[in-house]
Amino acid sequence: MVTQMYQVSTLQALTKGDFYGNCTIGQLLTKGDTGLGTFKDVDGEMIVLDGVCYRAKADGTVEVAQEDDSTPFASVTFLNKSLSFQLTKPIRMNKLLDKLDMQVKFKGENNIYACRIDGKFAEVYARSEMKQQEPYKPFADVLATDQREFDFHDVSGSLVCVYFPKYMDGLNMAGWHVHFISDDRTMGGHVFDFELNEGVVHLGETSGFAFMIPDTDHFHSLKLQEVTKKDIEKVEKAK
């Protein structure tokens, strides 16, 4: 089965500080069972896994999101697991993403992909952020003061990863975007780095892209073309 990637709004808009709820979690889960994003007021990092939406809060703990919660930005799909392979030796994040990139080059670099990696981790370095209030600041300014970082050690869990091609940079982040949740669903966040001891990778390609444009005066007034690649890197990568 080949499925499409469904996205709420754009990463450019989130970078600009559009933290309004554009889609309910109940609506989002009709579009996919695997994915990531954030919540209204950027109140935590989103992990969608096995059809359940989780919120990784500013202290790194996790709760199940409610159906009437909402998101300003998210990407979800029904993961088709068209390719699976085992990882039997310790590997850092950059080396594992290199392996995924090799599969992307073989399958087609201009497609969109989702990936789930289940395994045992020596370490996961992650972040979340504190809930914001209006008037919203640009996301980079939020992270400068309200980002919270944590190291999880000796933990079993899952990585949820989405890949967007270079020509879609801005709508989302080109390359891989990775979130984590522990098997016991108590720890999670946006991932900066990890060391995986062993695990299994499930990679799925998509057949298309569906994009929800927010119908709000705030979104329509944003100058999205002003957002640069450097601006996006500030909100997606470690300091």
Side-chain angles (χ1 to χ4, degrees), residues 39 45-47 49 52-56 62-64 181 185:
F39 295 89
E45 298 284 346
M46 178 190 296
I47 307 100
L49 195 66
V52 180
C53 182
Y54 300 93
R55 183 199 311 269
V62 168
E63 65 183 16
V64 176
I181 189 167
R185 305 301 190 248

Side-chain angles (χ1 to χ4, degrees), residues 86-155:
Q86 296 282 337
L87 297 166
T88 58
K89 297 180 180 180
I91 188 169
R92 299 282 326 175
M93 179 175 177
N94 63 331
K95 296 298 184 181
L96 181 47
L97 295 186
D98 285 346
K99 286 181 177 290
L100 295 182
D101 283 341
M102 290 177 60
Q103 295 298 328
V104 166
K105 288 179 181 180
F106 176 75
K107 287 177 169 290
E109 291 181 280
N110 290 329
N111 205 344
I112 303 170
Y113 298 87
C115 182
R116 170 180 179 161
I117 304 170
D118 302 316
K120 297 179 180 179
F121 296 81
E123 176 190 17
V124 179
Y125 173 38
R127 74 114 193 268
S128 191
E129 52 282 323
M130 299 176 66
K131 181 179 181 179
Q132 300 299 296
Q133 297 181 342
E134 297 182 59
Y136 297 132
K137 301 179 291 187
F139 198 17
D141 292 345
V142 170
L143 296 177
T145 58
D146 293 340
Q147 174 171 285
R148 298 295 181 267
E149 302 172 16
F150 7 85
D151 279 300
F152 307 128
H153 294 276
D154 299 320
V155 58

Side-chain angles (χ1 to χ4, degrees), residues 163-182:
Y163 172 93
F164 277 76
K166 291 180 180 179
Y167 68 87
M168 299 185 76
D169 198 14
L171 284 177
N172 207 303
M173 185 181 73
W176 291 100
H177 185 170
V178 184
H179 286 192
F180 171 79
I181 189 167
S182 61

Side-chain angles (χ1 to χ4, degrees), residues 205-221:
E205 60 188 291
T206 66
S207 62
F209 178 64
F211 171 44
M212 195 209 81
I213 301 174
D215 188 18
T216 65
D217 290 340
H218 182 264
F219 179 85
H220 294 318
S221 68

